[in-house]
Structure formats: C-alpha cells, structure tokens
Amino acid sequence: MANSIPTDIPHWTALVAEKKQRQLESIPQEWIVTPPSDSTLDVSAFPETCGLLNAREIEITNTPVNVLLEKLALAIVAHQLVNCLTEIFVDRALARAAELDDYLKNTGKVAGPLHGLPISLKDQLCIKGLETTMGYVSWIGQYADRNAVLVDVLIECGAVPFVRTNVPQTLAWPESFNNVFGRTTNPYNRSLTCGGSSGGEGALIALKGSPLGVGSDLGGSIRIPSAFCGLYGLRPSYGRVPHYGARGTLEGQDSVLPVLGPMTSSVVGIKVFMKAVINAKPWLNDPLVVRKKWDEDEYNLVDHGSGEHLCFAIMWDDGVVVPHPPIRRSLEIAKAALQKAGHKVVDWKPIKHRLLGDITRDIWNAASAEEYMITTSVTGEPIIATMELDSADAAVASFRPQNSGITAYQLWQVQKLRQNIRKEYLDHWEATTSETGTGRPVDAIICPAAPFAATPHGKNRSVPVIAE
C-alpha cells in the first residue's frame, strides 16, 4: 500500500522555497557579488580577484576571527559561483572564533592542535540547533539536539566549524544534486560535475573557501570529488575517525561502512587532521572507534624500510573499466617519478573486481530502494533518478537500486562470499613478496580514483568497486 502524505505538511516545493529563503538570509549582504555569466566556465580565480577582500580591508593575521572572516567571505563568494553550501552560520562561527581569541589572550596558550582553524563540514555532520537535511526535503525542519561526535572532537581541538556543504539526495551518487539546494558545479569548468557525494566540499576547497573540510566515503565519495577538484583526500580505514551522530544513507547496514575523512588542498592538512582527531581519543565517545593511538613510527614507514626503496604496484585498470588516456598518463607520470626516486614499480594484477562490484551493490541495494521511498514519502518529494540536465534519454546508473533488493538469507550468502574473497585478495597481496625484492609484499597499490576526469553532469556513472 502506498504511503499517504499527511495533509498538514506543505507541498515539498513550498518547503524548499522557505528553506532557500532562510539560506539566503544567512548571507551578509556585503558579501553578495555579481558572478561571471554562465558562459564563463572556469571561475577558479574569481574569489580572490573579485575585490571583496580588499574592499572589506580584512587584515589577515593569525587571530581566529580575522582568519575566519577571510574564509567566510571566500566561502560565500564560492557559493555564489558553484552553489556549494547548505548551512551558513556566520554569527555562531564568529562567536566561536572570538572565544578562541580570548582564550589565547588570557592564557597564552592555544586551545588545541587545530586552534582557530576554520573547518567546513559535509551536510551530514550534525550540529546542535541546525538542520541536517542531507539533500532530503523531508528532513527540512529537523533540528539536531546534539553534535556529531566528530564535531565535538574538532571543537575540542580548537577548530571553528563555519559552513556545511552540498551533497546529492541519498548521498548515493558520485555527483552532487538534490531537490533542496540544487546542483553543485566544478569550479574549473561549471559545465562539469564536481563529483560526489562530498561534492560541495570539493568545490568549496578548490575555490579556497575552506582550508580543510570533512567529507564521507562509502564507495568513492571523498576520493572522486578530490580527484575532480584537484585536492588531497583520505578515506580512512573503518573505526579510525568517529562517525557516531552523523546522519547517513543505509544506516544500520554494517557490511560496507561509510567513513568520515579530511579533504584539503595540502597533503600536510591530511596529517594534521588525522593526528589531532586520533590524539583526542575519540574511542571514549564512539564505541566503534578503534582504540589505537597515533603512531609516528607507522607514519614514517619504519616497518617499510623507513620509506627507502619501496615497491609500489600500479593497477592500470580493474578489468572492468579501462581508464581514459589522461588517467593512464597520470599513472605513467607517477611511475616515472617513483622510479626516479629509487623505488620499484610493478604491475598489479586485479582479481574478481567485477564480482567485488556486484557484491558491494547487492549489499547496498538490499534495502536502499525501501529506505529512499520511506524517507521521501513524508513530503512526497521525488526520488532523483538521474543527475543529467536533460532526463529524457538518461541512462540508469548501475549503482542505483533496480529492484526491491534481496532477502535477508540472500544477503547473508553475499556477505559470506565477500568474506571469502577478502581472504583470497589478502593472499593475492601477500604473494607479491616473490616479486618485490624487499622481503615484503608490495607496500602500496596505486590506482585511479575514477576512470576519467570530471564529466559533464549526469555522465559520471562509475564508482570504485572496492569500497574498503
């Protein structure tokens, strides 16, 4: 029986209009600019050349308030260019920055390793008193009664959360478009996608509107926008960064778990974020976080020859999708650089990647169609079936649910098969000891984050088949 829509709930389009108006009102009027026309595709230089910062005569010093003012202005300009933001909480962020200014002034100490650092957050990390819609009209008006654990950890470390960023409806897309906030585009070519599902983060950071952001990754959602937007991103292992209290898709599914991780324009930022979060002992507040301290020896590869004479494997393709020539060329450049630095490079022989992809999709889709239907039924908003600008001839992406899913028993069989292939893949890795010359298996595998560079909207229909 179809779910009925309560008669006291406004039509979903009215909810969207009201939410968008509130978003507009959260932007200080002095930061409104006139963006380039739609025919200008590359807007990457606009925020720093539009004159806004000079007009405000912001003196960029090392005080949290001044640093935040710069990033807020750049973030809001970025939003007017590529539509990357969801929640903009200027007053709250400035109050937090002022607290940190006072703390340093009164104590002579920083509040933590991230003191005064503005950090943007993907729109699934709950902040007390704010909505977290995650691209669902049906979640407009749902205000968080507490922070996600990671938000508390970042605040404890001295960070200043200041904006949240756009995502696709359901999160389960390698692009970023939803019925609430619309489409986020790529700063380097607005006719192309910025990737997803952490696409708002990717576009914002690429435009220098945030020095460091938090995305999430289930099947490429940090890796894809980082690659499409020219950033560094890390999908950590399960249980390393606290996830508790964040909203998500497929919650309750614990075979292929999503993880939160950093996105930034500097590889140093990846370490700064991970070290700060782990040293805050997040396992005390999230029971699924591994109780494992930061290990500087591990970071310095002490068990891998301290980084000298490593052996890398390159996976040129996964046996399913052949990467485009520019991606192949980037792998060849990486190989040459590694060899010049004295490392050995071998070819990686992928095994059963098509089957791995089928397993992952079976797990994801076991109940995803039902989840999407139940969530959207509150307001009757449409479930987005394509990211194409013109949906008339849109092809259905393979990672989207095609049916009602498999039974619980069938899911158990898929999970058992996955467990066996995990062991088979581990043995395959360990067997490379015979060809590395180091006495170890290959130290790392290098492979494309996506089989192509940023695509036109709706054309990104490939996601990594290994999600862990």
Side-chain angles (χ1 to χ4, degrees), residues 175-336:
E175 304 197 31
S176 296
F177 170 71
N178 60 71
N179 292 321
V180 183
F181 298 104
R183 186 183 304 274
T184 303
T185 58
N186 193 305
Y188 298 103
N189 186 331
R190 291 189 289 178
S191 70
L192 306 179
T193 180
C194 58
S197 61
S198 308
E201 281 297 328
L204 175 67
I205 298 168
L207 285 167
K208 300 181 175 61
S210 174
L212 192 150
V214 179
S216 71
D217 196 311
L218 183 66
S221 289
I222 287 175
R223 292 163 282 174
I224 293 169
S226 293
F228 285 4
C229 296
L231 306 176
Y232 295 96
L234 176 68
R235 184 197 194 277
S237 299
Y238 296 156
R240 206 61 175 131
V241 174
H243 193 277
Y244 187 83
R247 304 198 82 165
T249 195
L250 310 184
E251 289 184 341
Q253 178 276 117
D254 61 1
S255 294
V256 184
L257 289 170
V259 297
L260 299 169
M263 298 172 65
T264 176
S265 58
S266 165
V267 70
V268 174
I270 301 290
K271 179 184 180 182
V272 167
F273 175 91
M274 292 299 298
K275 186 174 182 179
V277 169
I278 291 167
N279 282 342
K281 300 181 179 179
W283 50 83
L284 298 177
N285 293 294
D286 184 337
L288 295 184
V289 174
V290 176
R291 188 178 289 261
K292 184 178 188 301
K293 295 181 180 179
W294 176 266
D295 190 325
E296 196 68 23
D297 283 346
E298 285 189 5
Y299 181 81
N300 291 319
L301 302 175
V302 169
D303 292 336
H304 294 260
S306 296
E308 298 291 330
H309 307 296
L310 300 173
C311 181
F312 294 89
I314 292 183
M315 186 172 77
W316 300 96
D317 68 71
D318 60 6
V320 180
V321 179
V322 176
H324 285 189
I327 306 303
R328 172 92 186 189
R329 185 166 62 250
S330 69
L331 293 174
E332 291 169 345
I333 292 171
K335 177 179 179 179

Side-chain angles (χ1 to χ4, degrees), residues 93-109:
L94 286 172
R96 166 67 178 159
E99 286 178 4
L100 293 167
D101 274 348
D102 290 341
Y103 183 87
L104 180 61
K105 194 178 301 181
N106 295 332
T107 67
K109 301 176 182 178

Side-chain angles (χ1 to χ4, degrees), residues 63-72 93 97 100 114-121 158-163 209-213:
T63 69
V65 167
N66 284 327
V67 171
L68 177 63
L69 282 170
E70 180 210 17
K71 287 305 175 187
L72 270 169
L100 293 167
L114 304 180
H115 182 95
L117 180 68
I119 288 186
S120 49
L121 305 171
V160 183
F162 69 113
V163 291
S210 174
L212 192 150

Side-chain angles (χ1 to χ4, degrees), residues 218-219 250 253 256 360-368 399 463-464 467:
L218 183 66
L250 310 184
Q253 178 276 117
V256 184
T360 303
R361 283 185 283 272
D362 280 344
I363 292 171
W364 287 346
N365 294 339
S368 56
F399 52 84
V463 296

Side-chain angles (χ1 to χ4, degrees), residues 22-79:
R22 284 192 283 125
Q23 183 198 51
L24 182 61
E25 291 171 354
S26 69
I27 299 174
Q29 290 301 299
E30 61 267 31
W31 288 341
I32 300 294
V33 297
T34 302
S37 67
D38 291 344
S39 62
T40 302
L41 299 180
D42 184 350
V43 294
S44 57
F46 183 84
E48 292 186 311
T49 59
C50 67
L52 178 62
L53 297 186
N54 291 338
R56 286 185 55 83
E57 296 181 344
I58 296 175
E59 180 185 0
I60 305 306
T61 69
N62 60 356
T63 69
V65 167
N66 284 327
V67 171
L68 177 63
L69 282 170
E70 180 210 17
K71 287 305 175 187
L72 270 169
L74 287 172
I76 289 171
V77 172
H79 175 64

